[in-house]
Structures are given as structure tokens and as C-alpha cells.
């Protein structure tokens, strides 16, 4: 993250989980409660700031904005500040500025703002790796005025509206009904604390200190990268006078795949086979992998495949990030395609019945009352959408043939790897 002040307030690392943040906040709140620190005049203020830090970091959306843009990023759209600046956000909640942090024009920023760009990728991109080139636009320091915004030897003068502070005090109504003073960014100097007359502004940047410049960036999507993983181009972001340029951060967004699902380093896919293949076996190419290879397998003699039976192909999963020569596993679930009515018309039904297993008898013990029920075709999806006395997950229970179970020692694929499959949570 570009800023870690709120994490430091709670005493946690920037990659702390929600539970760790909650535990840290409870511990800090007890430790710094005003009732236990009556001799510390700033205890109440610190306590409220920790509450504010927890409120932001416990909200996934606000935390993501804070990580990408810092506390000032919360004043933008989607940040929850409704256009307020960083100081005002805290003042609105607690009636005072944030303890220990200065957000005025004299506050030093360690670097420019980062640019966060979502980038859509396919599962093939993450499996094979890919180089992507794209045209972008960014802010660069004006080469004429060197970032001063002034023409020639002209120098900016303190803003008369805010007296060079970059902010003004405004009166706001607090949640408890009282009024309090909070800081608002000066609208005349845009928070810079200084202004230039029109005739004193640089001709190239119009006094803005930076100009737009088109650039061409290239990123490399490495094999095995994950959904929502970040690719950081350090120093390739917008430039601002007096501070290093920010970074360009690409966040990978994985698109759904029509054939494969990913779980960590493993893959899952469904393969449809015919009834004859389920009963008599087969030896054929069952799928085309993400790199274009065909995967062929041979079923062992005498093996009958049941609906939703599964096997695992070792080493045919996703490449492991930063270790592309190693791969996870590929789980295959078999769906059996039943013959249709047209096929039944082309065969001798009695001959087929003679070789198939016999029909099941009536249930035992036989009920005293038996009703002949009418039926019609339906879809299990329609049933799921209705309300039943049974629990909501009635249709989601696991079955004995759920994928990842069973002994698959006899199965063969093109790598001819044997062994007991490892069942992993999917």
C-alpha cells in the first residue's frame, strides 16, 4: 500500500486479515481507553482515531481505496468521503483533525499517486504467460517551467483566501447534533497555498505544473499468476513536482473459462463420454489443454465409469508461479451422455434388455397403500428455485462419487503416472 498510517495505529501489518485487524483493534481500544488513561489529555483523541482506523480497514472497499491511494483517496468517488478531504473525514466523525498526521500543503508526500488499472486476462494467458503492450497517458512535469507553473522568473504568491495554508475552516454539523470546525481544501488555490496571475503562468502547462504525455507500456503476465494479482511498474505513474513519480499497478481480472475451473494450482474440467464408453472403456483424446495439447487417456479393462466419477491427472494443472516447470493437478469429472429415443428405435429392445442388468423389484417391505403417480419432465434448476421444508443446501450434499475420491491406480494418461490422488478443497 502507498500508506500504512492506519495499520500502524492498530499495530498490524498491511497484509493482516480481517480477524487480525479486529483483534488488534479490541486490544488497542482496551489499552488506550480514556477511562484507563485519565492522566493523558490526548487519550480520548487517540481512542477515536483508532476507531476511525478500524472503520476504514474493516470495510473491504474502503481498505482497497486506502491501500491504493492513501487516506486522501477516501475523499474521491467510491471512497466514502463524499468529496471531503482527508482531514474533514476525521473531523466529520470525531470533531477534530487526525492526531499526528498533517494533510496541509506543507505535508511531505513520499511519492506521487499510483495509477491502478484493472486488466482482463484469460485462463490461457495465466497458463502460458503473455506479453502485453498498451498505449497510456500520464502526467509529467512540464519541461519548460520545470514544474513551477510560472513563466520566466515569476514566482507564485500566497493565496489570499486561505493565507497560504491550502485549506480553510468550515463549520459542519456532527452526528451528535453539535457543530464543529473542520478543514476543507481551498477552492481558489486547489490546496497548493499559492497562486499565479494569468499572465505569469507558463504557456505550455498553463500554470498546472504538469502536462499530459502519451507513453507505451509493456507488462509480462507470468505463468501461474493468480486472479487479482498485481503487476507493478515502479515509477511509471503520474509525475508531480518535488516527489518521485508514482507507480502503475495493473490488477489482473480473470475471465470465466468455458471448459476449465481453477483452484490454486489445480484445474477442474468435465468430460462427456457415451454410455458404451462408460461400460466398455475407451482410449482417445478427451480434451484440448490450455496450451493446445491434446490429452489422451486409456481406461483400464473391466472398469465401469459411473456418473460424476472423477480422476486426477498429476502434473497437468496450472504452472506454479515463479516455478513454471512444476504444475498442479488436473481433476476430470465424467458426465455420461445417455442415448436418446431415436437410438432406441434403431435397436432390438429385447436384445438390449437381455444383456443389461435386470430391473429392480418393488421396494420392500411393500406398502399397504400404493398410488399410481402421474409425472412430467422437469429441470432440477426449477426445483432449486422453489421453497421446500428441507434445508437450503438439500441438493448440494456430497455423494460417494464426488470428484477427488476413489482409487485411480489403474487409470492411464499420456504421462503414465500412477498413485493415489490427493483430494484438495476446491
Amino acid at each position: 500500500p502507498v500508506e500504512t498510517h492506519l495499520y500502524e495505529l492498530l499495530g498490524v501489518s498491511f497484509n493482516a486479515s480481517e480477524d487480525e485487524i479486529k483483534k488488534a483493534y479490541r486490544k488497542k481500544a482496551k489499552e488506550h481507553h480514556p477511562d484507563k488513561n485519565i492522566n493523558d489529555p490526548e487519550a480520548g483523541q487517540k481512542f477515536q482515531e483508532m476507531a476511525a482506523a478500524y472503520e476504514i480497514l474493516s470495510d473491504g472497499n474502503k481498505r482497497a481505496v486506502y491501500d491504493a491511494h492513501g487516506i486522501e483517496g477516501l475523499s474521491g468517488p467510491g471512497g466514502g468521503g463524499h468529496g471531503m478531504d482527508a482531514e474533514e473525514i476525521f473531523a466529520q466523525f470525531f470533531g477534530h483533525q487526525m492526531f499526528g498526521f498533517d494533510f496541509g500543503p506543507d505535508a511531505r508526500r513520499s511519492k506521487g499517486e499510483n495509477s491502478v488499472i484493472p486488466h482482463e486476462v484469460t485462463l490461457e494467458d495465466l497458463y502460458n504467460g503473455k506479453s502485453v503492450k498498451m498505449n497510456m497517458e500520464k502526467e509529467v512535469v512540464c519541461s519548460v517551467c520545470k514544474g513551477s507553473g510560472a513563466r520566466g522568473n515569476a514566482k507564485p504568491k500566497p493565496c489570499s483566501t486561505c493565507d497560504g495554508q491550502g485549506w480553510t475552516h468550515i463549520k459542519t454539523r456532527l452526528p451528535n447534533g453539535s457543530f464543529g470546525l473542520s478543514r476543507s481544501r481551498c477552492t481558489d488555490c486547489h490546496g497548493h497555498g499559492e497562486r499565479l496571475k494569468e499572465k505569469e503562468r507558463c504557456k505550455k502547462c498553463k500554470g498546472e505544473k504538469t502536462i499530459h504525455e502519451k507513453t507505451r507500456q509493456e507488462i509480462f503476465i507470468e505463468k501461474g499468476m493468480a486472479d487479482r494479482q498485481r503487476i507493478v511498474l515502479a515509477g511509471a505513474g503520474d509525475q508531480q513536482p518535488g516527489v518521485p513519480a508514482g507507480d502503475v499497478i495493473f490488477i489482473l481480472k480473470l475471465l470465466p473459462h468455458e471448459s476449465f475451473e481453477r483452484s490454486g494450482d489445480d484445474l477442474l474440467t468435465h468430460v462427456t463420454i457415451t454410455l458404451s464408453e462408460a461400460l466398455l472403456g475407451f482410449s482417445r483424446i478427451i480434451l484440448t489443454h490450455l496450451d493446445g495439447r491434446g490429452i489422451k487417456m486409456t481406461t483400464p479393462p473391466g472398469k465401469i465409469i459411473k456418473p460424476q466419477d472423477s480422476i486426477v491427472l498429476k502434473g497437468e494443472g496450472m504452472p506454479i508461479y515463479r516455478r513454471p516447470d512444476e504444475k498442479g493437478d488436473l481433476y476430470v469429472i465424467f458426465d455420461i451422455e445417455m442415448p436418446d429415443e431415436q437410438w432406441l428405435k434403431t435397436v432390438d429392445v429385447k436384445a438390449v434388455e437381455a444383456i443389461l442388468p435386470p430391473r429392480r423389484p418393488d421396494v420392500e417391505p411393500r406398502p399397504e397403500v400404493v398410488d399410481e403417480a402421474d409425472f412430467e419432465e422437469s429441470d432440477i434448476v426449477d426445483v432449486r428455485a422453489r421453497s421446500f421444508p428441507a434445508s437450503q443446501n438439500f441438493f448440494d450434499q456430497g455423494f460417494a462419487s464426488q470428484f477427488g475420491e476413489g482409487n485411480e491406480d489403474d487409470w492411464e494418461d499420456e504421462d503414465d503416472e500412477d498413485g493415489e490422488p490427493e483430494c484438495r478443497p476446491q
Side-chain angles (χ1 to χ4, degrees):
V2 299
E3 187 178 303
T4 58
H5 296 316
L6 300 186
Y7 294 100
E8 293 168 2
L9 267 178
L10 299 181
V12 296
S13 63
F14 67 86
N15 56 2
S17 65
E18 292 183 12
D19 288 339
E20 290 172 336
I21 291 175
K22 182 184 293 185
K23 290 178 181 178
Y25 168 65
R26 289 177 176 175
K27 181 179 179 181
K28 287 281 187 180
K30 291 180 180 179
E31 180 182 346
H32 295 282
H33 197 281
D35 293 344
K36 293 185 178 181
N37 298 271
I38 56 177
N39 295 325
D40 184 0
E42 297 173 343
Q45 187 172 338
K46 292 178 182 178
F47 179 79
Q48 292 178 1
E49 283 155 9
M50 284 186 292
Y54 174 70
E55 180 176 342
I56 292 172
L57 297 183
S58 62
D59 185 304
N61 293 331
K62 291 181 181 180
R63 182 179 179 181
V65 173
Y66 174 73
D67 287 348
H69 304 287
I71 190 67
E72 292 188 347
L74 294 168
S75 63
H82 306 291
M84 297 183 291
D85 67 8
E87 288 257 53
E88 189 178 355
I89 293 173
F90 279 87
Q92 185 78 352
F93 278 106
F94 305 109
H96 61 77
Q97 282 75 41
M98 188 175 179
F99 177 80
F101 303 113
D102 184 8
F103 296 102
D106 296 328
R108 296 196 174 191
R109 301 185 63 179
S110 59
K111 59 186 293 188
E113 290 188 5
N114 294 336
S115 299
V116 181
I117 304 172
H119 181 70
E120 294 183 344
V121 292
T122 64
L123 195 55
E124 284 86 353
D125 295 337
L126 300 182
Y127 186 92
N128 300 300
K130 185 179 181 181
S131 177
V132 180
K133 296 180 180 179
M134 61 188 71
N135 294 321
M136 299 181 59
E137 197 174 76
K138 70 174 184 177
E139 297 284 335
V140 298
V141 174
C142 177
S143 59
V144 175
C145 65
K146 308 301 181 184
S148 68
R151 180 189 302 181
N153 295 325
K155 293 184 178 181
K157 296 180 180 179
C159 174
S160 57
T161 303
C162 63
D163 295 328
Q165 297 183 93
W167 49 267
T168 57
H169 278 120
I170 60 172
K171 182 181 289 188
T172 56
R173 181 183 291 273
L174 302 177
N176 59 11
S178 63
F179 287 91
L181 290 178
S182 62
R183 292 182 182 182
S184 175
R185 192 182 303 275
C186 179
T187 57
D188 290 338
C189 66
H190 304 292
H192 296 300
E194 54 189 23
R195 299 176 62 185
L196 281 167
K197 295 181 180 179
E198 188 71 33
K199 63 180 180 180
E200 296 176 336
R201 296 177 183 176
C202 172
K203 286 186 176 181
K204 186 171 184 178
C205 67
K206 310 300 181 185
E208 297 294 331
K209 302 181 181 180
T210 60
I211 58 173
H212 292 288
E213 181 179 87
K214 292 183 178 180
T215 62
R216 188 167 177 82
Q217 299 287 2
E218 180 178 11
I219 61 173
F220 183 68
I221 301 169
E222 299 183 55
K223 293 181 180 181
M225 279 188 162
D227 183 29
R228 297 188 298 275
Q229 187 163 344
R230 296 184 174 194
I231 299 177
V232 180
L233 301 181
D238 292 335
Q239 298 179 4
Q240 295 178 3
V243 294
D247 302 332
V248 175
I249 303 173
F250 292 91
I251 301 180
L252 302 182
K253 181 181 179 182
L254 178 61
L255 298 173
H257 197 277
E258 61 181 8
S259 301
F260 293 91
E261 296 178 33
R262 180 181 183 180
S263 177
D265 297 324
D266 296 333
L267 291 172
L268 168 67
T269 189
H270 286 254
V271 171
T272 300
I273 60 175
T274 65
L275 179 59
S276 61
E277 289 178 319
L279 296 174
L280 307 175
F282 60 87
S283 178
R284 65 175 175 89
I285 299 173
I286 60 172
L287 60 89
T288 301
H289 215 314
L290 296 168
D291 57 359
R293 290 181 299 119
I295 301 297
K296 181 179 180 179
M297 58 167 290
T298 301
T299 58
K303 178 70 176 182
I304 293 180
I305 303 175
K306 305 176 187 65
Q308 299 301 300
D309 269 0
S310 66
I311 61 171
V312 58
L313 304 182
K314 296 289 187 178
E316 288 294 349
M318 289 293 296
I320 298 177
Y321 181 55
R322 296 287 171 86
R323 291 182 289 162
D325 293 336
E326 302 178 31
K327 294 181 181 178
D329 300 330
L330 170 60
Y331 290 88
V332 179
I333 299 178
F334 289 107
D335 299 321
I336 300 177
E337 183 181 45
M338 298 297 293
D340 56 17
E341 291 83 353
Q342 198 63 34
W343 173 85
L344 198 60
K345 296 177 182 179
T346 64
V347 300
D348 186 339
V349 177
K350 291 185 177 180
V352 172
E353 185 177 8
I355 64 175
L356 290 176
R359 292 187 175 94
R360 288 182 176 272
D362 289 336
V363 297
E364 293 291 345
R366 183 180 176 84
E368 294 182 3
V369 178
V370 178
D371 290 336
E372 187 76 23
D374 296 329
F375 71 92
E376 60 184 39
E377 293 185 0
S378 181
D379 192 329
I380 194 68
V381 176
D382 297 334
V383 179
R384 288 177 188 267
R386 301 176 190 172
S387 177
F388 286 90
S391 61
Q392 294 181 351
N393 63 346
F394 178 78
F395 289 99
D396 298 328
Q397 302 301 316
F399 298 93
S401 58
Q402 202 98 10
F403 96 90
E405 299 181 9
N407 190 332
E408 312 295 348
D409 287 347
D410 295 331
W411 291 92
E412 299 177 6
D413 65 286
E414 63 177 8
D415 296 327
D416 195 25
E417 293 187 7
D418 296 334
E420 191 76 17
E422 283 189 12
C423 298
R424 302 185 184 181
Q426 300 296 313

